[in-house]
Amino acid sequence: MPANSEEYARPATPPDTSNLSEVRGASRECTACHLYKRATQTVFGEGPKNAPIMLVGEQPGDYEDVAGKPFVGPAGKIMDRALEEAGIDRSHVYVTNAVKHFKWEPRGKRRIHKKPNSREIAACRPWLEAEIRLVKPQLVVCLGSTAGQVFFGPSFRVTRERGKLLSSKLASKVVATVHPSSLLRQPDEESRKREYKRFVVDLRTAVKASSEI
Ligand code: URA
């Protein structure tokens, strides 16, 4: 393997099919960036094929990498609770990530999350585009800045745009909000409660907008 094996990576090429399972299957073999080497597996999106809402996070975390499913760890648990409060059943939405392999670095025995860079995000984009093409959600919720930047470019700031109904080339209706893991990082109980409430409000905006023509 050459030192910079990224040059030799094959671009992500989702099969031209209307079968989401086929695309999911093909994503398991993806070597479009180096992240596949350290990750346990590709974590593709999950949810009903015609879900009205698609939630897009950043990348799988430690739990998701092992389970092979998106948002099953602590961030997923708090997201599920907020979804329920906003009137959405998790089983009715499609949940995925901008990047489908866990990027991490070792710290002792722990695997520490590392933010994906723009090359890794771009390499993975064809899978997200295929998911959007096949699920055809009425609305996409961007969870955090990485997802927001996929839809709106590098200058996108969640703090400025959260909770607004937006439109992008990838999806006609988009609402951005914070990443649920940011709720877990709040310094005290009061800010945790406040930020959680704001997150639920943003999700309610998304639900309302998804049902309006
Ligand atoms: N964070 C994400 O962005 N996605 C997951 O699936 C889990 C944690």
Side-chain angles (χ1 to χ4, degrees):
M1 206 42 116
N4 181 6
S5 56
E6 273 181 63
E7 296 170 20
Y8 295 79
R10 272 190 291 143
T13 43
D16 186 12
T17 171
S18 58
N19 186 329
L20 192 57
S21 307
E22 257 179 58
V23 179
R24 176 180 288 110
S27 77
R28 291 194 189 112
E29 310 302 322
C30 187
T31 57
C33 77
H34 65 109
L35 294 183
Y36 76 95
K37 293 180 194 166
R38 271 195 167 183
T40 306
Q41 56 193 315
T42 304
V43 180
F44 200 71
E46 268 197 358
K49 165 94 193 278
N50 297 312
I53 296 179
M54 177 181 283
L55 296 153
V56 182
E58 181 189 77
Q59 62 166 346
D62 197 21
Y63 289 86
E64 290 78 15
D65 174 72
V66 173
K69 293 168 179 292
F71 283 103
V72 292
K77 299 262 181 308
I78 196 162
M79 184 184 83
D80 288 355
R81 182 153 69 87
L83 284 171
E84 203 178 310
E85 268 186 55
I88 322 170
D89 189 327
R90 158 99 185 233
S91 66
H92 294 161
V93 298
Y94 188 91
V95 179
T96 192
N97 284 298
V99 169
K100 288 170 171 59
H101 282 116
F102 179 34
K103 181 177 183 182
W104 60 278
E105 64 183 17
R107 194 171 305 156
K109 286 187 178 161
R110 293 176 61 209
R111 303 193 300 169
I112 303 299
H113 162 277
K114 275 196 84 185
K115 209 172 169 59
N117 64 36
S118 55
R119 260 177 307 134
E120 293 149 358
I121 295 166
C124 217
R125 187 183 171 106
W127 299 114
L128 180 62
E129 287 178 348
E131 289 174 298
I132 295 171
R133 176 171 61 82
L134 296 181
V135 177
K136 297 184 189 66
Q138 281 151 33
L139 182 141
V140 169
V141 179
C142 291
L143 299 166
S145 62
T146 298
Q149 288 172 4
V150 170
F151 284 77
F152 299 105
S155 61
F156 184 80
R157 294 289 171 271
V158 175
T159 42
R160 247 185 351 233
E161 307 292 348
R162 70 178 294 176
K164 298 180 191 166
L165 181 59
L166 307 169
S167 189
S168 101
K169 275 190 192 151
L170 279 178
S172 59
K173 286 182 183 177
V174 183
V175 171
T177 185
V178 294
H179 193 283
S181 64
S182 70
L183 307 174
L184 302 168
R185 290 194 302 266
Q186 292 300 314
D188 53 58
E189 187 60 21
E190 191 187 329
S191 49
R192 235 187 326 275
K193 278 191 181 150
R194 185 187 62 236
E195 290 309 311
Y196 175 78
K197 274 190 190 158
R198 292 184 72 198
F199 184 58
V200 173
V201 168
D202 291 344
L203 293 178
R204 285 208 183 105
T205 301
V207 180
K208 189 161 175 285
S210 73
S211 58
E212 287 165 356
I213 309 280

mmCIF file of all heavy atoms in Angstrom, residues 4-12 31-34 36:
data_model
loop_
_atom_site.group_PDB
_atom_site.id
_atom_site.type_symbol
_atom_site.label_atom_id
_atom_site.label_comp_id
_atom_site.label_asym_id
_atom_site.label_seq_id
_atom_site.Cartn_x
_atom_site.Cartn_y
_atom_site.Cartn_z
ATOM 1 N N ASN A 4 0.543 7.414 0.739
ATOM 2 C CA ASN A 4 -0.703 8.173 0.641
ATOM 3 C C ASN A 4 -1.704 7.365 -0.181
ATOM 4 O O ASN A 4 -1.911 7.605 -1.354
ATOM 5 C CB ASN A 4 -0.446 9.537 -0.003
ATOM 6 C CG ASN A 4 -1.726 10.353 -0.083
ATOM 7 O OD1 ASN A 4 -2.757 9.932 0.448
ATOM 8 N ND2 ASN A 4 -1.652 11.490 -0.735
ATOM 9 N N SER A 5 -2.314 6.393 0.480
ATOM 10 C CA SER A 5 -3.175 5.475 -0.262
ATOM 11 C C SER A 5 -4.491 6.121 -0.662
ATOM 12 O O SER A 5 -5.239 5.557 -1.441
ATOM 13 C CB SER A 5 -3.437 4.220 0.555
ATOM 14 O OG SER A 5 -3.988 4.594 1.791
ATOM 15 N N GLU A 6 -4.757 7.340 -0.138
ATOM 16 C CA GLU A 6 -6.006 8.006 -0.517
ATOM 17 C C GLU A 6 -6.058 8.240 -2.018
ATOM 18 O O GLU A 6 -7.120 8.217 -2.619
ATOM 19 C CB GLU A 6 -6.141 9.338 0.199
ATOM 20 C CG GLU A 6 -6.788 9.182 1.557
ATOM 21 C CD GLU A 6 -6.952 10.510 2.247
ATOM 22 O OE1 GLU A 6 -7.687 11.340 1.710
ATOM 23 O OE2 GLU A 6 -6.332 10.696 3.286
ATOM 24 N N GLU A 7 -4.870 8.484 -2.635
ATOM 25 C CA GLU A 7 -4.849 8.702 -4.085
ATOM 26 C C GLU A 7 -5.400 7.497 -4.844
ATOM 27 O O GLU A 7 -5.850 7.620 -5.956
ATOM 28 C CB GLU A 7 -3.414 8.860 -4.570
ATOM 29 C CG GLU A 7 -2.709 10.038 -4.036
ATOM 30 C CD GLU A 7 -1.235 9.940 -4.407
ATOM 31 O OE1 GLU A 7 -0.881 9.205 -5.346
ATOM 32 O OE2 GLU A 7 -0.470 10.622 -3.755
ATOM 33 N N TYR A 8 -5.280 6.342 -4.210
ATOM 34 C CA TYR A 8 -5.651 5.111 -4.890
ATOM 35 C C TYR A 8 -7.074 4.663 -4.567
ATOM 36 O O TYR A 8 -7.519 3.650 -5.053
ATOM 37 C CB TYR A 8 -4.653 4.000 -4.523
ATOM 38 C CG TYR A 8 -3.277 4.299 -5.023
ATOM 39 C CD1 TYR A 8 -2.458 5.185 -4.343
ATOM 40 C CD2 TYR A 8 -2.809 3.735 -6.193
ATOM 41 C CE1 TYR A 8 -1.194 5.487 -4.807
ATOM 42 C CE2 TYR A 8 -1.542 4.024 -6.671
ATOM 43 C CZ TYR A 8 -0.740 4.902 -5.969
ATOM 44 O OH TYR A 8 0.504 5.196 -6.432
ATOM 45 N N ALA A 9 -7.734 5.437 -3.691
ATOM 46 C CA ALA A 9 -9.086 5.038 -3.296
ATOM 47 C C ALA A 9 -10.026 5.126 -4.492
ATOM 48 O O ALA A 9 -9.883 5.999 -5.341
ATOM 49 C CB ALA A 9 -9.578 5.947 -2.181
ATOM 50 N N ARG A 10 -10.979 4.208 -4.529
ATOM 51 C CA ARG A 10 -11.959 4.242 -5.609
ATOM 52 C C ARG A 10 -13.112 5.145 -5.201
ATOM 53 O O ARG A 10 -13.603 5.038 -4.070
ATOM 54 C CB ARG A 10 -12.479 2.830 -5.882
ATOM 55 C CG ARG A 10 -11.590 2.111 -6.890
ATOM 56 C CD ARG A 10 -12.213 0.837 -7.345
ATOM 57 N NE ARG A 10 -12.236 -0.142 -6.263
ATOM 58 C CZ ARG A 10 -13.226 -0.997 -6.060
ATOM 59 N NH1 ARG A 10 -14.284 -0.984 -6.836
ATOM 60 N NH2 ARG A 10 -13.164 -1.868 -5.084
ATOM 61 N N PRO A 11 -13.588 6.045 -6.085
ATOM 62 C CA PRO A 11 -14.674 6.927 -5.685
ATOM 63 C C PRO A 11 -15.946 6.138 -5.351
ATOM 64 O O PRO A 11 -16.147 5.041 -5.886
ATOM 65 C CB PRO A 11 -14.909 7.816 -6.918
ATOM 66 C CG PRO A 11 -14.066 7.286 -7.994
ATOM 67 C CD PRO A 11 -13.123 6.276 -7.449
ATOM 68 N N ALA A 12 -16.744 6.695 -4.461
ATOM 69 C CA ALA A 12 -18.013 6.046 -4.117
ATOM 70 C C ALA A 12 -18.918 6.071 -5.341
ATOM 71 O O ALA A 12 -19.153 7.140 -5.904
ATOM 72 C CB ALA A 12 -18.661 6.792 -2.959
ATOM 73 N N THR A 31 -14.438 2.285 -0.391
ATOM 74 C CA THR A 31 -13.059 2.640 -0.014
ATOM 75 C C THR A 31 -12.723 4.022 -0.583
ATOM 76 O O THR A 31 -11.588 4.291 -0.956
ATOM 77 C CB THR A 31 -12.054 1.597 -0.560
ATOM 78 O OG1 THR A 31 -12.210 1.529 -1.990
ATOM 79 C CG2 THR A 31 -12.281 0.232 0.033
ATOM 80 N N ALA A 32 -13.745 4.876 -0.657
ATOM 81 C CA ALA A 32 -13.542 6.172 -1.313
ATOM 82 C C ALA A 32 -12.677 7.129 -0.499
ATOM 83 O O ALA A 32 -12.217 8.138 -1.025
ATOM 84 C CB ALA A 32 -14.896 6.804 -1.620
ATOM 85 N N CYS A 33 -12.504 6.870 0.780
ATOM 86 C CA CYS A 33 -11.514 7.604 1.574
ATOM 87 C C CYS A 33 -10.907 6.608 2.542
ATOM 88 O O CYS A 33 -11.335 5.449 2.609
ATOM 89 C CB CYS A 33 -12.142 8.806 2.290
ATOM 90 S SG CYS A 33 -13.101 8.350 3.746
ATOM 91 N N HIS A 34 -9.949 7.049 3.322
ATOM 92 C CA HIS A 34 -9.210 6.099 4.178
ATOM 93 C C HIS A 34 -9.984 5.646 5.416
ATOM 94 O O HIS A 34 -9.572 4.731 6.117
ATOM 95 C CB HIS A 34 -7.899 6.752 4.617
ATOM 96 C CG HIS A 34 -8.167 7.936 5.488
ATOM 97 N ND1 HIS A 34 -7.893 7.932 6.834
ATOM 98 C CD2 HIS A 34 -8.747 9.133 5.226
ATOM 99 C CE1 HIS A 34 -8.273 9.091 7.347
ATOM 100 N NE2 HIS A 34 -8.786 9.834 6.393
ATOM 101 N N TYR A 36 -12.471 3.859 6.018
ATOM 102 C CA TYR A 36 -12.930 2.463 6.096
ATOM 103 C C TYR A 36 -11.900 1.572 6.800
ATOM 104 O O TYR A 36 -12.241 0.548 7.382
ATOM 105 C CB TYR A 36 -13.238 1.918 4.688
ATOM 106 C CG TYR A 36 -12.022 1.573 3.874
ATOM 107 C CD1 TYR A 36 -11.537 0.262 3.841
ATOM 108 C CD2 TYR A 36 -11.325 2.550 3.164
ATOM 109 C CE1 TYR A 36 -10.404 -0.055 3.104
ATOM 110 C CE2 TYR A 36 -10.196 2.239 2.437
ATOM 111 C CZ TYR A 36 -9.736 0.941 2.413
ATOM 112 O OH TYR A 36 -8.614 0.620 1.704
#
